[in-house]
């Protein structure tokens, strides 16, 4: 739409051989970013440099060379329905005028790599979603590009297929040492596979870092809320290493926020200790819900009007009175992104305050 900036003031450097995940909600600008790299969209400002060459300025006559440098695996795979698996992969090589004898050898090799050597004569409609994606990956790998872009290619697959293909993709990336840039909204996928995560929102980069850094040290409440699950609370930084939230003062490790400053407080659900009420408790509350998640229980605890999400191996029944404790280094303090008007209120009935 006219006047909408899909990607705004975005600056990013990616090293050769790096596996980068660009993640964000719908409308964050992820797909536009991929299209800018692949020249399906033209930037109004800025440059796209590959090995020092501004590929956004390459003339149309040089597009075939550019296609050999950067390959794309699209969300809908873009397979040719009337061509076999072999012919779909070979087509990419034919476009670049590769000799026929070399095409046959390369196609056989790449189909073996992705486990589709027995499907060479099949047509796309005869394949599962996971197999179709392998064809798309094989087609791109056959050109041996320096960079491969992935535009959410696993979004339509079943969970089991996604898990298998994640492992295969990581193995291929290590073997080929290819730079891969992967667009997704799947947090688990990004945390599992990537070397670097780029978190986007509203056309801007919110944070760049390793999966561990992004998860353990989110730069703002948006990143904390989007990557993993978080308890995000209004707080006041009394002074360095001391913060107040939920009507209680807590020691923390953060400094430099000033005195009596409004802040956002982030606590991950797995960082809260839950136990029967005792003198150790920093907060006390009542369990509202308790769900078994396979490796832990996920509970919500209401503490004087504040609701906490807690993940723990110990189970507490709904209605149980419990104590909560959080250690100083598990309390993450960040600047408030928006200053809101807050008022003291009283609930009159179910629909009026």
């Amino acid at each position: 739409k006219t006047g909408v900036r899909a990607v705004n003031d975005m600056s990013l450097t990616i090293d050769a051989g790096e596996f980068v995940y660009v993640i964000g909600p719908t409308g964050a600008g992820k797909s536009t970013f991929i299209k800018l790299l692949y020249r399906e969209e033209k930037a109004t400002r800025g440059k796209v440099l590959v090995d020092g060459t501004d590929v956004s300025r390459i003339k149309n006559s040089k597009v075939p060379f550019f296609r050999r440098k950067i390959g794309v695996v699209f969300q809908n795979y873009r397979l040719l329905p009337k061509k076999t698996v072999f012919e779909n992969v070979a087509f990419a090589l034919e476009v670049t005028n590769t000799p026929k004898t070399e095409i046959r050898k390369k196609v056989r090799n790449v189909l073996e790599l992705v486990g589709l050597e027995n499907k060479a004569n099949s047509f796309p409609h005869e394949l599962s979603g996971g197999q179709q994606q392998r064809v798309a990956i094989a087609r791109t790998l056959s050109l041996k590009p320096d960079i491969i872009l992935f535009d959410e290619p696993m979004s339509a697959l079943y969970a089991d297929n996604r898990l298998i293909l994640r492992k295969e993709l990581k193995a291929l990336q290590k073997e080929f040492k290819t730079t891969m840039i992967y667009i997704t909204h799947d947090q688990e996928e990004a945390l599992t596979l990537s070397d670097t995560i780029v978190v986007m929102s509203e056309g801007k980069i919110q944070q760049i870092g390793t999966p561990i850094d992004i998860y353990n040290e989110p730069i703002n409440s948006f990143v904390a809320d989007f990557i993993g699950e978080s308890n995000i609370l209004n707080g006041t930084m009394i002074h360095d290493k001391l913060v107040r939230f939920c009507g209680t003062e807590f020691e923390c490790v953060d400094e430099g926020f000033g005195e009596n400053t409004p802040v956002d407080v982030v606590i991950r659900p797995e960082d809260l200790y839950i136990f029967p009420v005792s003198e150790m408790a920093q907060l006390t509350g009542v369990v509202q819900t308790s769900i078994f998640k396979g490796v832990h229980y996920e509970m919500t605890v209401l503490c004087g009007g504040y609701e906490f999400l807690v993940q723990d191996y110990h189970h507490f029944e709904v209605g149980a009175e419990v104590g909560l404790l959080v250690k100083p280094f598990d309390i993450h303090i960040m600047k408030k992104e928006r200053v809101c008007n807050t008022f003291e209120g009283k609930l009159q009935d179910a629909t009026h305050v």
Side-chain angles (χ1 to χ4, degrees):
K1 294 179 181 180
T2 304
V4 175
R5 292 186 178 183
V7 175
N8 187 28
D9 295 331
M10 185 173 184
S11 181
L12 175 64
T13 300
I14 296 172
D15 294 330
E18 196 172 4
F19 201 162
V20 176
Y21 264 68
V22 181
I23 187 169
T26 301
K30 307 185 299 298
S31 292
T32 301
F33 168 59
I34 281 286
K35 288 175 181 177
L36 289 172
L37 296 183
Y38 198 57
R39 291 166 48 105
E40 283 199 353
E41 295 280 358
K42 186 176 180 181
T44 52
R45 287 189 300 154
K47 299 177 180 180
V48 179
L49 302 176
V50 179
D51 290 335
T53 301
D54 185 2
V55 297
S56 62
R57 300 292 182 263
I58 290 177
K59 300 296 183 183
N60 288 337
S61 61
K62 294 186 179 180
V63 167
F65 168 76
F66 175 70
R67 292 290 189 259
R68 289 197 294 271
K69 300 287 283 185
I70 300 181
V72 185
V73 178
F74 294 98
Q75 187 172 358
N76 60 1
Y77 314 141
R78 296 192 183 182
L79 301 181
L80 301 168
K82 294 184 179 180
K83 289 184 180 291
T84 65
V85 167
F86 187 98
E87 291 167 340
N88 264 279
V89 178
F91 182 75
L93 294 164
E94 290 166 0
V95 171
T96 58
N97 299 318
T98 305
K100 288 186 178 180
T101 54
E102 193 175 336
I103 288 176
R104 285 194 293 271
K105 182 180 178 181
K106 285 187 173 182
V107 173
R108 283 196 299 267
N109 288 341
V110 78
L111 287 179
E112 188 176 344
L113 270 174
V114 298
L116 288 177
E117 62 271 27
N118 296 327
K119 296 289 184 179
N121 296 320
S122 300
F123 289 90
H125 71 271
E126 298 173 323
L127 305 176
S128 68
Q131 289 170 334
Q132 288 181 30
Q133 197 212 39
R134 285 190 177 92
V135 177
I137 292 172
R139 182 179 56 191
T140 302
L141 287 174
S142 68
L143 295 171
K144 293 188 176 179
D146 296 333
I147 302 166
I148 300 180
L149 312 176
F150 295 86
D151 188 6
E152 300 199 61
M154 297 190 194
S155 60
L157 300 181
Y158 291 115
D160 289 347
N161 281 336
R162 287 201 301 269
L163 289 172
I164 293 168
L165 285 167
R166 281 176 193 169
K167 293 177 182 178
E168 292 177 352
L169 194 58
K170 187 65 175 177
L172 286 169
Q173 193 264 341
K174 285 185 176 180
E175 181 173 345
F176 281 83
K177 296 180 173 61
T178 305
T179 305
M180 292 186 177
I181 304 172
Y182 198 109
I183 299 298
T184 188
H185 59 271
D186 190 321
Q187 307 159 28
E188 182 185 348
E189 202 173 294
L191 292 168
T192 302
L193 294 181
S194 67
D195 300 316
T196 302
I197 295 177
V198 179
V199 184
M200 290 188 68
S201 176
E202 299 178 350
K204 294 184 178 181
I205 293 176
Q206 300 295 315
Q207 187 171 358
I208 303 171
T210 65
I212 292 174
D213 289 341
I214 293 287
Y215 187 82
N216 289 334
E217 296 296 335
I219 198 167
N220 56 36
S221 59
F222 170 81
V223 176
D225 193 39
F226 190 76
I227 302 293
E229 295 178 286
S230 297
N231 296 289
I232 302 177
L233 306 152
N234 291 318
T236 301
M237 200 71 182
I238 299 172
H239 54 69
D240 286 351
K241 299 184 179 181
L242 187 66
V243 63
R244 181 191 297 114
F245 59 91
C246 299
T248 305
E249 293 183 0
F250 296 82
E251 292 182 5
C252 60
V253 296
D254 293 278
E255 300 176 314
F257 287 86
E259 296 185 2
N260 298 315
T261 306
V263 292
D264 284 327
V265 180
V266 175
I267 304 172
R268 295 290 189 186
E270 67 271 19
D271 290 334
L272 282 163
Y273 292 85
I274 184 170
F275 43 84
V277 177
S278 71
E279 293 181 358
M280 291 176 55
Q282 295 166 315
L283 296 168
T284 59
V286 177
V287 176
Q288 304 297 300
T289 65
S290 182
I291 302 171
F292 181 57
K293 291 287 203 174
V295 294
H296 63 258
Y297 290 91
E298 186 169 275
M299 295 162 279
T300 54
V301 179
L302 191 63
C303 299
Y306 300 93
E307 188 175 78
F308 286 86
L309 184 66
V310 182
Q311 294 172 348
D312 199 279
Y313 298 107
H314 300 99
H315 177 228
F316 291 86
E317 298 285 351
V318 172
E321 292 188 17
V322 295
L324 298 180
L325 180 145
V326 59
K327 294 182 178 179
F329 51 80
D330 289 326
I331 298 174
H332 305 285
I333 307 298
M334 49 197 63
K335 291 180 180 178
K336 273 203 167 296
E337 295 177 76
R338 298 179 178 88
V339 178
C340 302
N341 294 317
T342 57
F343 307 92
E344 291 294 327
K346 184 178 180 181
L347 195 66
Q348 300 297 326
D349 55 47
T351 56
H352 293 83
V353 65

